[in-house]
Structures are given as structure tokens and as C-alpha cells.
Amino acid sequence: AEVNAATRYIYLNRAAHISKDIFDPTTNGDSIAKWEGDTLVVDKTGFDPNKGVTAIPGGGFRTANTHLVERYRLLNNGSLLSVRFTWTDPGVFRTPHTYEFRYSRLPRDYEARLPLNCDPFDETRTAFLTARP
């Protein structure tokens, strides 16, 4: 995403999460990953429930007990990225909450653009929004 966000590290060389006794919860939590065939499976724990966006798409919110498993897989010869999220937290969800996002690959010549400045006092914008047919 073209946003400012906290850096996230995904460790492929660890089989277990850092002990809760020494890990300070973070916005992104502690991420460990492994490959299962053509799917990268990322396991996350250690969320700080008071920092960052705590809402979960589709309902719910993160807590200190939240467990997230993400499954990343390329589809359609690499032109589509599927990310399946499964949230588990008995204090929030009766059963695991799963949903999928799909992202299309951008063309090779794509260049990020600066965000447009929205000026609510721009006369042209005001005229367009207040014009009557």
C-alpha cells in the first residue's frame, strides 16, 4: 500500500514466537512464516490492542490475545495476489473469522503518484459540487 505504516518484519528462520515474557506487544505483532507449497503462511501474535488501527475488516477488533494467520498465494500466472486472513480470538469471535483480499499486479511502468491536495475552498471544485442541472 502507498501509505506510511510501521515497518513489518516477517521471520522465515524461526519456528516459534518470541516469549510473551520478553516481547513487547506492537502494532504489527510478531510474525513468523513458512512455505507450504506455493503459499507463504504467516503466523502473527503479540499485538498491542491500544496502538494503530485495531478494527478488523468484517467486524471485530484486535486484543492482546489475538492470533492471525495470513496465507499469501499468487494466482493467474502471478497477475493476482490472494491474501486470506484468519483471525482467532475467543474473547472477540465465537469461531475463527476468515476473509480474503485480492490484489491485481500493476503494470511494470507504474509509478506512484503524489496524493491530490483536496482544497475545500477551491472555487472550481465548489462550482462543480454546487452546480444544478
Side-chain angles (χ1 to χ4, degrees):
E2 295 173 352
V3 298
N4 292 329
T7 302
R8 177 178 174 196
Y9 298 97
I10 299 174
Y11 296 95
L12 291 153
N13 60 351
R14 279 201 276 127
H17 288 286
I18 298 172
S19 167
K20 289 184 177 185
D21 297 333
I22 60 172
F23 183 76
D24 291 329
T26 67
T27 303
N28 287 322
D30 180 40
S31 299
I32 57 175
K34 64 182 178 183
W35 286 98
E36 290 181 0
D38 64 351
T39 303
L40 179 65
V41 180
V42 181
D43 190 281
K44 295 175 66 171
T45 62
F47 294 103
D48 186 327
N50 302 312
K51 293 181 181 166
V53 176
T54 60
I56 296 171
F61 52 90
R62 286 188 329 218
T63 73
N65 298 319
T66 295
H67 178 221
L68 170 63
V69 175
E70 301 166 316
R71 302 178 70 81
Y72 293 82
R73 194 167 147 227
L74 288 174
L75 306 172
N76 297 345
N77 293 322
S79 66
L80 194 64
L81 173 65
S82 164
V83 186
R84 182 174 292 271
F85 303 86
T86 301
W87 296 86
T88 306
D89 189 333
V92 178
F93 304 110
R94 188 176 326 185
T95 60
H97 173 62
T98 300
Y99 57 92
E100 178 185 26
F101 285 165
R102 289 187 171 198
Y103 303 91
S104 295
R105 184 181 295 268
L106 293 170
R108 288 187 185 273
D109 60 350
Y110 175 80
E111 290 187 29
R113 297 184 181 131
L114 294 174
L116 296 174
N117 186 16
C118 181
D119 179 4
F121 304 105
D122 176 28
E123 292 178 23
T124 304
R125 178 180 180 271
T126 303
F128 173 78
L129 294 174
T130 57
R132 298 196 183 257

